[in-house]
Amino acid sequence: MDQRLQELAAYCDTEVMLAVVGGKWKLLILFYLFRGTYRFSELQRALPSEVTHRMLARQLRALESDGLVHRTVYPEVPPRVEYELTPVGRSLEPLIGQVESWGAWYREYLREMAAKAED
């Protein structure tokens, strides 16, 4: 973590946020984890089909490494693994809520622009 802290110290605050939650799928993974604890396969089914097993595993490892996601492995056969947000991960809920609201607004904006173009 010390090396990660040193890397992030050179960034501006926006770059820090993007370094932690940037990437194509991290925000969407966090969005689903706000709803509760997921097993790996449940999370994979919830995400778009283009999110491969490998990509999901990499994104979850990165989120875990950055302290946003907690991974629990249960000693069962077959092993059960669950993912949930940490308090640090949960702190992003208002931000992701704003991102979702902007997405809804922008979708409506595009519809209005398309309707105007048809006139």
Side-chain angles (χ1 to χ4, degrees):
M1 192 67 150
D2 288 337
Q3 180 181 356
R4 180 77 167 148
L5 183 60
Q6 289 173 357
E7 290 172 11
L8 294 177
Y11 297 169
C12 77
D13 294 337
T14 301
E15 288 176 306
V16 170
M17 192 272 307
L18 290 173
V20 175
V21 298
K24 191 167 183 179
W25 304 113
K26 286 182 182 178
L27 286 177
L28 194 54
I29 291 167
L30 293 170
F31 174 79
Y32 280 105
L33 289 175
F34 288 130
R35 298 176 179 177
T37 301
Y38 277 79
R39 293 176 74 170
F40 186 91
S41 59
E42 293 172 327
L43 193 52
Q44 188 165 29
R45 280 192 300 273
L47 294 166
S49 60
E50 64 215 62
V51 181
T52 65
H53 184 280
R54 182 174 182 230
M55 178 56 68
L56 178 56
R58 290 174 68 190
Q59 298 288 281
L60 284 168
R61 271 194 301 272
L63 290 167
E64 183 182 9
S65 174
D66 285 331
L68 279 66
V69 169
H70 177 74
R71 178 178 182 256
T72 304
V73 180
Y74 295 93
E76 301 172 351
V77 177
R80 179 170 49 116
V81 179
E82 292 182 340
Y83 296 89
E84 63 186 326
L85 292 174
T86 65
V88 174
R90 197 147 291 283
S91 73
L92 289 166
E93 195 164 11
L95 172 69
I96 293 176
Q98 288 180 327
V99 169
E100 184 180 18
S101 294
W102 187 87
W105 172 84
Y106 190 70
R107 184 191 318 252
E108 185 58 33
Y109 167 78
L110 291 176
R111 285 187 185 124
E112 290 173 9
M113 298 306 290
K116 286 180 183 177
E118 290 178 4
D119 290 340

